[in-house]
Amino acid sequence: MVLTRVIKPERPNRPQKRTINKYGGTLNSVLFNQRIFCFMAFNVEINPSGVFPEVLIVKAEPWYDYRGEMWTTWESEWDILPEGNEWKISKFTRSRKNVLRGLHGDDITWKFVHCVYGEIYQVVVDNRLESENYQKWESYIISDRNHIGILIPAGFVNAHLCLTDECVFHYMQSYPKDYVDWFDQDEVKWNDPDIAIEWPTKNPILNWRDK
């Protein structure tokens, strides 16, 4: 599906006008206390992955002008979490080339992941014993250029490999009550032969817990 969201200020009864700026962008201008506030409409495509119907691929459409680009990574109106869930924490990791983090996950935490700098090989594995897709995996290239986010449900484990000289990985997490720290997480070896993930490296840089 394709969603278009126009963000407006809280006072909706002000006069509004649609304008096109000289760089081709569509702006929504609102007169508010004698000042003009411009809010852009961004498109986003949300689709299930090719392997897992529960995993969502969220691709943002950036807005460009002479300065660069702007895009939205998440809005509550997208309604991508199960009812009653909410995002609790937002984290970043910075990695150098060939660093592999994972496979990690648990039974209650949902994650929404992006690459905000560099390029990453992202892998998701269904770790639910009762699932018909148990131990199946899927990979994605996510980067600061393709603006793709991956929604990873509870019960899945995931890992990412840094493909460029440096990568910055961003992930939001949703869980019912308490944060699930690393010592309570499920851990699956990156090269588990029963899963047989096709990694673009044979000798990644690993933390002790992932070896």
Side-chain angles (χ1 to χ4, degrees):
M1 59 179 170
V2 180
L3 302 179
T4 302
R5 171 67 176 156
V6 181
I7 305 175
K8 300 179 181 179
E10 293 182 356
R11 302 184 186 181
N13 296 324
R14 302 284 180 171
Q16 300 184 31
K17 62 178 181 178
R18 296 290 291 180
T19 61
I20 306 294
N21 73 2
K22 67 178 181 179
Y23 304 105
T26 303
L27 304 180
N28 190 47
S29 300
V30 182
L31 183 62
F32 186 67
N33 291 341
Q34 304 305 312
R35 298 174 64 188
I36 298 296
F37 292 79
C38 296
F39 303 87
M40 298 183 186
F42 293 99
N43 289 340
V44 62
E45 293 183 13
I46 303 175
N47 295 295
S49 81
V51 176
F52 308 114
E54 307 92 339
V55 174
L56 296 182
I57 313 300
V58 180
K59 182 171 176 55
E61 180 181 314
W63 186 84
Y64 298 92
D65 69 9
Y66 66 99
R67 301 165 298 173
E69 57 185 320
M70 179 187 299
W71 65 96
T72 300
T73 57
W74 171 77
E75 288 191 52
S76 59
E77 286 81 359
W78 293 355
D79 196 27
I80 58 177
L81 281 174
E83 185 176 354
N85 286 47
E86 62 180 1
W87 298 115
K88 297 285 189 69
I89 195 169
S90 173
K91 290 188 172 185
F92 292 86
T93 63
R94 187 189 305 273
S95 302
R96 58 193 175 99
K97 188 172 185 177
N98 209 40
V99 165
L100 194 159
R101 299 176 184 259
L103 300 150
H104 309 146
D106 60 72
D107 293 334
I108 62 173
T109 303
W110 289 66
K111 296 180 179 179
F112 191 30
V113 307
H114 295 83
C115 176
V116 297
Y117 183 79
E119 186 173 82
I120 280 172
Y121 186 81
Q122 174 70 42
V123 171
V124 174
V125 179
D126 190 340
N127 199 41
R128 301 169 299 174
L129 286 171
E130 74 284 0
S131 171
E132 63 181 2
N133 291 320
Y134 176 61
Q135 291 193 326
K136 288 185 180 180
W137 64 276
E138 189 171 34
S139 65
Y140 324 88
I141 298 294
I142 60 175
S143 73
D144 58 0
R145 296 295 181 178
N146 65 16
H147 314 108
I148 289 176
I150 311 295
L151 179 72
I152 305 170
F156 285 71
V157 292
N158 80 98
H160 67 272
L161 171 72
C162 179
L163 299 176
T164 46
D165 289 341
E166 189 174 58
C167 298
V168 178
F169 180 76
H170 175 235
Y171 58 110
M172 301 166 64
Q173 296 182 84
S174 172
Y175 39 87
K177 293 182 180 178
D178 297 327
Y179 175 77
V180 182
D181 219 329
W182 67 269
F183 43 79
D184 288 323
Q185 293 176 354
D186 297 327
E187 298 175 5
V188 179
K189 290 202 63 165
W190 69 281
N191 58 353
D192 186 316
D194 291 332
I195 302 174
I197 297 169
E198 297 176 6
W199 292 100
T201 183
K202 299 295 184 184
N203 189 31
I205 301 169
L206 301 168
N207 182 270
W208 61 267
R209 67 184 288 217
D210 297 327
K211 291 182 178 178

